[in-house]
Amino acid sequence: MSQLLTVAAEMENPLVPPVPELVIGLLAFVIVFGFLAKKLLPNINKVLEERREAIEGGIEKADAAQTEAQSVLEQYKAQLAEARHEAARLRQEAQEQGAVIIQEMRAEGQRQREEIIAAGHAQIEADRKAASSALRQDVGTLATALAGKLVGESLEDHARQSGTVDRFLDELEAKAEAVR
């Protein structure tokens, strides 16, 4: 058995490393871990902190931009409402001015119509007087000529002829107006 124990002692467990290897491995691990903790970990933490701050800053900037965009949108809506109100006011003013212009044009047209009618009446009255005067002369001349033919003598005395014709025509006009 002693041989067996020696063989067993010589044959070590392959899963359990020898103690000197274990101590060297543990020392190497502590050295590497210490180096990483001293040199690499602060840089990693610094980069992670910068990223976190950048992300938070980006979120804050996005929130600020969204707030500003909302403010600008409200301003645009207010300006649009004001522009619509101004357009409605201008439309109303234009309609009122149009109504005033139409009223003025109607009044001007009425005035011109009345002037034309008055001028027409004056022209008709002047034409009537001219026609009446011409008719008196023609009727007087014809009546004198007819009376001269009937009487057999010339009735060419202008003053007498005129007075007789005027008196006769005045009597006719008076009778005509009395009939009306």
Side-chain angles (χ1 to χ4, degrees):
M1 231 190 120
S2 73
Q3 245 185 358
L4 210 57
L5 278 177
T6 45
V7 171
E10 286 179 8
M11 260 184 94
E12 297 181 10
N13 186 359
L15 295 178
V16 177
V19 174
E21 278 183 25
L22 191 62
V23 170
I24 292 176
L26 189 62
L27 274 175
F29 177 76
V30 168
I31 291 172
V32 169
F33 184 77
F35 174 75
L36 288 177
K38 286 281 186 187
K39 296 290 182 182
L40 198 56
L41 193 60
N43 289 339
I44 291 173
N45 285 336
K46 180 180 171 186
V47 168
L48 289 176
E49 185 64 27
E50 288 174 359
R51 282 188 180 175
R52 186 185 60 77
E53 288 176 4
I55 290 171
E56 286 178 0
I59 290 172
E60 289 174 4
K61 286 179 184 178
D63 288 341
Q66 185 176 8
T67 304
E68 184 179 346
Q70 188 67 27
S71 171
V72 169
L73 178 63
E74 293 299 322
Q75 287 176 351
Y76 285 145
K77 285 182 180 179
Q79 288 175 351
L80 181 61
E82 183 179 328
R84 285 181 179 159
H85 179 70
E86 182 69 16
R89 186 186 63 78
L90 289 175
R91 247 190 329 266
Q92 181 66 28
E93 284 181 9
Q95 288 175 348
E96 290 171 359
Q97 288 176 353
V100 168
I101 289 171
I102 288 172
Q103 190 66 23
E104 289 174 356
M105 293 305 240
R106 283 184 181 161
E108 179 66 19
Q110 183 71 20
R111 185 189 60 77
Q112 288 178 355
R113 182 179 68 96
E114 289 172 1
E115 286 178 1
I116 290 170
I117 289 173
H121 285 299
Q123 183 66 35
I124 289 171
E125 185 62 28
D127 289 346
R128 188 186 67 75
K129 286 182 181 179
S132 175
S133 175
L135 186 60
R136 280 181 179 236
Q137 286 180 350
D138 290 343
V139 167
T141 305
L142 289 173
T144 306
L146 183 59
K149 286 183 183 180
L150 287 175
V151 171
E153 62 182 74
S154 176
L155 298 172
E156 298 265 335
D157 183 12
H158 186 61
R160 216 188 303 161
Q161 175 186 354
S162 231
T164 305
V165 169
D166 285 340
R167 191 175 61 249
F168 175 73
L169 291 175
D170 287 338
E171 287 174 7
L172 280 178
E173 285 179 4
K175 286 180 184 177
E177 286 182 12
V179 172
R180 288 186 193 176

